[in-house]
Amino acid sequence: MPITTVDKDTDALTLTVTAEFPVPVRRLWDAYMDPRQLEKFWGPPSYPATFTRHDAYPGGLTTYFMTGPEGDTPGGYWEWLSVEAPSSFSVLDGFLGDDGEPNRDMPQIRMEFSFEPTETGSRMIATSYFASAAELEQLSAMGMEEGMRQAMGQIDDVVADLRAFAAGGVTAAETLDDTRLRVTRVIRGDVEQVWRAHEDPALVSRWMLGPDGWTMPVCETSVEPGGSYRYEWASDDGAQRFGFAGEVLEAHAPYRLVSTEQMVGAEGLPESVQMDAVTRNEMTLTPVEDGTLLTLVIVYPDRESREAAVATGMVDGMESSYARLESAVLAA
């Protein structure tokens, strides 16, 4: 068990948890920055967490839900206040309502996480600040302390896995719920470089090509809210052509870009790969030790649309593009 102390100070209205780990600070830090890793330990074993959004930058938002043994799915959120990598971050932590929005009637607490090196690895100190003694007692009665003990007891196995979440792995896709698909890839390049590679049409047209044998005759980009984009691809033999177009909904350079997406102009493609669904694409870029973690959450109108899209082989096509981004753009 990594927790060494748990101190509840009823005068200062704080709960402080100290834990030590046999890994470097940066490895522990990255476990909190990566939603794939964080959800493996944020909830206790009986209530595993699923992170649907994770914006690890000041002003960003994290949302998640936990799935209980009876199928209940209580949700929570973080509002990010500060990030000083890899030494500290602070968030406002609260509960989501049934509508998926922050429930302001429930307690909201400020949490500060600090990370420091030790002779054997690293130490994390997590301090929760409460607004009143009643709030502290309310959350204590809800099992907050025991929940944290159980959750942190799972971190050792996560941080010991040095390969599954590192650069060099291929693009991976995971279903989050009936309509959401999360696609992730660690890209060797810093956040600003990866953002620029999505912003500059001269760069986009060099890497966003999918498998060999295709060109990109149309590449119109936008990273401004309200702006539109359009990408079109054509096979080298001229027999097939298709594209995607949409509108930018949110942009927080260089960390988050949200847009709609719909297939347009499908010519000569098999009917099985033609898609009518309009999706919401949420891309988040997060600095990690090996480069930039690109997380793309795609929200489909229904499960059938999601499964049909995955069946087209789109994840393999994305891997071809991201590999080309590393080798042809960022390595240049």
Side-chain angles (χ1 to χ4, degrees):
M1 180 69 70
I3 290 181
T4 57
T5 62
V6 177
D7 297 314
K8 182 166 68 173
D9 189 328
T10 56
D11 293 326
L13 302 178
T14 59
L15 179 68
T16 301
V17 177
T18 302
E20 298 194 359
F21 304 88
V23 295
V25 165
R26 186 71 206 215
R27 179 68 191 90
L28 183 59
W29 172 270
D30 282 354
Y32 277 86
M33 298 298 106
D34 184 341
R36 302 170 299 169
Q37 300 181 57
L38 182 57
E39 66 189 14
K40 292 182 180 297
F41 64 82
W42 183 248
S46 59
Y47 271 85
T50 299
F51 280 73
T52 55
R53 176 174 176 176
H54 193 49
D55 301 343
Y57 59 87
L61 179 69
T62 288
T63 57
Y64 63 91
F65 63 88
M66 298 180 178
T67 303
E70 303 301 323
D72 51 317
T73 55
Y77 69 93
W78 293 353
E79 294 178 357
W80 289 75
L81 303 176
S82 66
V83 179
E84 299 292 338
S87 58
S88 68
F89 70 87
S90 62
V91 299
L92 293 177
D93 175 79
F95 296 91
L96 294 178
D98 293 337
D99 59 357
E101 297 297 321
N103 184 349
R104 304 299 181 183
D105 294 329
M106 291 291 288
Q108 184 186 60
I109 59 177
R110 178 166 57 92
M111 300 183 69
E112 295 184 353
F113 294 79
S114 64
F115 304 82
E116 57 189 40
T118 66
E119 291 184 357
T120 57
S122 57
R123 177 182 299 114
M124 183 195 69
I125 302 172
T127 303
S128 301
Y129 296 83
F130 299 84
S132 65
E135 194 174 276
L136 172 58
E137 292 306 319
Q138 178 185 4
L139 287 174
S140 294
M142 292 172 64
M144 179 179 180
E145 179 179 330
E146 180 57 29
M148 294 183 72
R149 286 184 180 275
Q150 293 183 27
M152 289 191 181
Q154 304 169 98
I155 299 181
D156 276 343
D157 289 340
V158 177
V159 297
D161 188 348
L162 299 178
R163 298 179 58 185
F165 308 105
V170 299
T171 302
E174 305 163 277
T175 56
L176 300 182
D177 55 25
D178 282 349
T179 61
R180 281 178 282 205
L181 181 75
R182 182 175 65 205
V183 179
T184 53
R185 172 68 142 82
V186 176
I187 297 174
R188 292 186 179 91
D190 63 39
V191 167
E192 288 76 13
Q193 290 175 312
V194 178
W195 177 270
R196 188 168 62 253
H198 285 79
E199 175 184 31
D200 185 344
L203 297 178
V204 174
S205 60
R206 291 175 55 194
W207 68 268
M208 195 183 286
L209 296 174
D212 292 336
W214 291 81
T215 59
M216 195 175 189
V218 176
C219 183
E220 301 169 358
T221 67
S222 177
V223 292
E224 296 296 330
S228 61
Y229 70 92
R230 187 180 183 96
Y231 306 135
E232 293 186 22
W233 295 268
S235 60
D236 289 345
D237 60 9
Q240 297 178 318
R241 184 167 179 143
F242 73 99
F244 287 99
E247 177 186 356
V248 177
L249 304 178
E250 301 175 30
H252 304 279
Y255 301 110
R256 180 172 170 83
L257 183 66
V258 182
S259 61
T260 61
E261 181 179 271
Q262 184 175 28
M263 180 177 278
V264 294
E267 301 174 6
L269 294 181
E271 186 175 342
S272 61
V273 300
Q274 297 185 31
M275 308 295 297
D276 295 327
V278 179
T279 64
R280 174 185 170 96
N281 295 0
E282 305 178 1
M283 182 184 74
T284 302
L285 303 179
T286 305
V288 293
E289 184 173 16
D290 293 332
T292 296
L293 171 64
L294 185 151
T295 304
L296 178 65
V297 176
I298 308 174
V299 186
Y300 294 88
D302 49 54
R303 177 185 292 186
E304 292 72 23
S305 298
R306 185 199 68 204
E307 294 180 348
V310 173
T312 65
M314 72 170 196
V315 177
D316 291 338
M318 295 172 74
E319 169 56 24
S320 297
S321 291
Y322 291 142
R324 191 179 291 110
L325 169 59
E326 284 188 325
S327 63
V329 177
L330 300 183

